[in-house]
């Protein structure tokens, strides 16, 4: 498979579908691009003392992880 840079694809005059492979070099956590969610569910949770509460499931839990909302720019 022939590789192209994003700049080459932007300048490309051919219409079609393309696969883009990328390396993430930095994630801005403080700009609303991520949120805390349960490990078993992508729903957002609210921190209450040392636990996390989910409105949808009306449940408290300790097991959370960062979830990301990608916004791609080049």
């Amino acid at each position: 498979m022939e590789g192209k840079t994003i700049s080459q694809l932007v300048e490309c005059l051919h219409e079609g579908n393309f696969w883009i492979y990328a390396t993430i070099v930095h994630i801005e956590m403080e700009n609303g691009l991520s949120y805390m969610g349960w490990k078993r569910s992508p729903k957002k949770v609210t921190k209450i003392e040392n636990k996390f509460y989910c409105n949808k499931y009306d449940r408290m839990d300790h097991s959370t992880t960062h979830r990301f909302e990608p916004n791609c720019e080049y």
Side-chain angles (χ1 to χ4, degrees):
M1 180 183 293
E2 180 186 351
K4 292 187 183 291
T5 66
I6 293 177
S7 296
Q8 289 171 323
L9 287 176
V10 169
E11 294 173 3
C12 181
L13 299 176
H14 300 272
E15 194 173 302
N17 297 319
F18 299 94
W19 284 89
I20 298 175
Y21 297 91
T23 301
I24 298 172
V25 294
H26 179 73
I27 297 174
E28 293 185 21
M29 307 282 275
E30 57 278 346
N31 290 337
L33 299 177
S34 71
Y35 61 92
M36 292 303 291
W38 277 357
K39 290 183 179 179
R40 294 178 295 258
S41 169
K43 299 299 177 194
K44 291 182 181 181
V45 294
T46 304
K47 186 171 184 177
I48 300 175
E49 295 178 15
N50 63 342
K51 294 183 180 181
F52 294 88
Y53 175 74
C54 178
N55 285 331
K56 179 171 180 162
Y57 296 109
D58 191 27
R59 186 173 157 202
M60 299 285 277
D61 201 334
H62 286 95
S63 60
T64 61
T65 188
H66 268 101
R67 301 283 180 178
F68 300 97
E69 298 175 3
N71 180 10
C72 299
E73 296 179 12
Y74 73 98

